Amino acid sequence: MPLLGVRLNRGLNRGKLKMINDVFLIMLIVTALLAIEMKDLLNSVIILAAFSLVLTFLFFNLHALDLAMAEAAIGAGVSTVLFVVAISKTRRREN
Amino acid sequence: MNWFLIMAYILSVTSFLCLVRIVSGPTHFDRLIGLNLMVTNITVIIVIMAVHYNYLVYLDVALVYAILGYVSVIAIAKYLTGRELHR
């Protein structure tokens, strides 16, 4: 039904492959919680790279191709290298 | 349901198994290999969907991720050797 001139069921379209979308949403929540809870910060950086990867595929599956390309470039290229350089300059263990 | 979608579902299940290895790996190297394999899995899923829907713009996402996916793995592996990163 139209609400304020916008059809709501266009917003509820959940991507092309719906079961893959559910699997990757569960993986997104698991990686986001474990990246916070890890004690060793290098494990946290690796799990954050996996989080960025899962988020790239979710953006791709929801037809946001430019956002998926930006997330791939920033999350895999810049963010992980920046965190690894920061860990190598400071302490590695969280206490 | 044709073979492309079946292969996409199977590759999503294997990337979930890679996530299990990333979460519960005993050493850092298990997590690193799991991350690298997961990058390859998701790139292949994107290429399979580009072929199945016959839409050429999807290949750009796979190309960007295939070019930039190895940078994080090389940075973490070079940190684990104990040397400086810029050398």
Side-chain angles (χ1 to χ4, degrees), chain B residues 1 8 12 15 25 49 55 58 61 64 69-70 81 87:
Chain B
M1 181 70 83
S12 75
S15 66
M49 286 172 70
Y55 196 52
Y58 288 173
V61 183
V64 167
Y70 74 99
T81 58
R87 174 175 309 178

Side-chain angles (χ1 to χ4, degrees), chain A residues 16 40 43 53 72 85 92, chain B residues 5 19 23 28 53 58 65 85:
Chain A
K16 295 188 180 66
D40 195 352
N43 294 340
L53 181 61
V85 170
R92 180 170 157 186
Chain B
L5 292 183
L19 183 73
V23 167
H28 297 293
Y53 291 104
Y58 288 173
Y65 215 84
L85 280 175

Side-chain angles (χ1 to χ4, degrees), chain A residues 15-91:
Chain A
K16 295 188 180 66
L17 303 177
K18 294 185 174 58
M19 285 171 58
I20 284 185
N21 210 353
D22 290 338
V23 171
F24 277 84
L25 278 172
I26 292 170
M27 287 161 69
L28 190 76
I29 293 173
V30 169
T31 50
L33 286 177
L34 280 168
I36 299 172
E37 291 296 326
M38 280 290 165
K39 288 299 180 188
D40 195 352
L41 289 178
L42 193 64
N43 294 340
S44 182
V45 169
I46 294 172
I47 293 174
L48 200 65
F51 172 80
S52 165
L53 181 61
V54 173
L55 194 61
T56 300
F57 184 73
L58 277 174
F59 282 149
F60 169 75
N61 204 9
L62 292 171
H63 309 276
L65 297 179
D66 47 352
L67 210 55
M69 269 192 267
E71 179 68 31
I74 293 171
V78 182
S79 169
T80 309
V81 179
L82 195 67
F83 281 133
V84 170
V85 170
I87 286 174
S88 73
K89 297 292 182 189
T90 57
R91 284 178 295 123

